[in-house]
Amino acid sequence: DVNPFALPSEVLGGECFQVVEPGRVANCVLWRTPVGKFELVGSARASTSTTSDRVLRRAITIAGLKIVWNAKPFELFQLRGLVDGQQEDQGYLDDLYNDGDLRISRANNGFQYIYRRERVS
């Protein structure tokens, strides 16, 4: 029951990265092939708050999954409201450490993640 987006790049054979924007987060896997660029993108809505012990918490609600082939998106599914009578898949990430270039987070399921920022010029 491991989130495939959380696996090391070597396991998936592609580049794994996360895009964080105000109100949105996306986990991406990118493969460069002889016939083009292929991406798998899991997206979520995100909101931030601070816990009582002053930890930055990102509340995450899974929004959808899509494949992007040579910049053309193909929506696999999109969640809106209730799914099969149950609430959307929700969770959170607590920032344990963040210096702007390195972030260590712990999810509500106990998984820990280490993110390294690559500046895009």
Side-chain angles (χ1 to χ4, degrees), residues 3-30:
N3 175 351
F5 294 111
L7 296 175
S9 298
E10 296 80 33
V11 174
L12 293 173
E15 300 170 40
C16 297
F17 58 95
Q18 186 177 67
V19 177
V20 179
E21 298 171 342
R24 180 181 167 274
V25 63
N27 288 329
C28 308
V29 183
L30 170 66

Side-chain angles (χ1 to χ4, degrees), residues 79-89:
L79 299 176
R80 296 187 195 281
L82 300 179
V83 178
D84 296 331
Q86 298 179 7
Q87 292 210 351
E88 297 174 323
D89 192 6

Side-chain angles (χ1 to χ4, degrees), residues 9 15-19 97-105 113-119:
S9 298
E15 300 170 40
C16 297
F17 58 95
Q18 186 177 67
V19 177
Y97 175 83
N98 189 343
D99 69 4
D101 290 319
L102 180 70
R103 184 175 87 226
I104 301 173
S105 299
Y113 301 91
I114 300 174
Y115 301 95
R116 178 177 47 96
R117 179 180 299 234
E118 293 184 7
R119 307 272 181 198

Side-chain angles (χ1 to χ4, degrees), residues 1-76:
D1 293 343
V2 175
N3 175 351
F5 294 111
L7 296 175
S9 298
E10 296 80 33
V11 174
L12 293 173
E15 300 170 40
C16 297
F17 58 95
Q18 186 177 67
V19 177
V20 179
E21 298 171 342
R24 180 181 167 274
V25 63
N27 288 329
C28 308
V29 183
L30 170 66
W31 294 272
R32 298 175 197 279
T33 71
V35 293
K37 191 166 74 169
F38 175 78
E39 293 177 77
L40 183 62
V41 181
S43 61
R45 293 184 302 278
S47 61
T48 56
S49 62
T50 304
T51 64
S52 59
D53 52 350
R54 303 171 69 103
V55 172
L56 180 66
R57 174 168 286 178
R58 287 181 179 82
I60 306 290
T61 303
I62 304 302
L65 181 68
K66 68 181 173 183
I67 292 174
V68 181
W69 182 262
N70 290 327
K72 182 172 179 167
F74 298 93
E75 202 77 35
L76 296 180

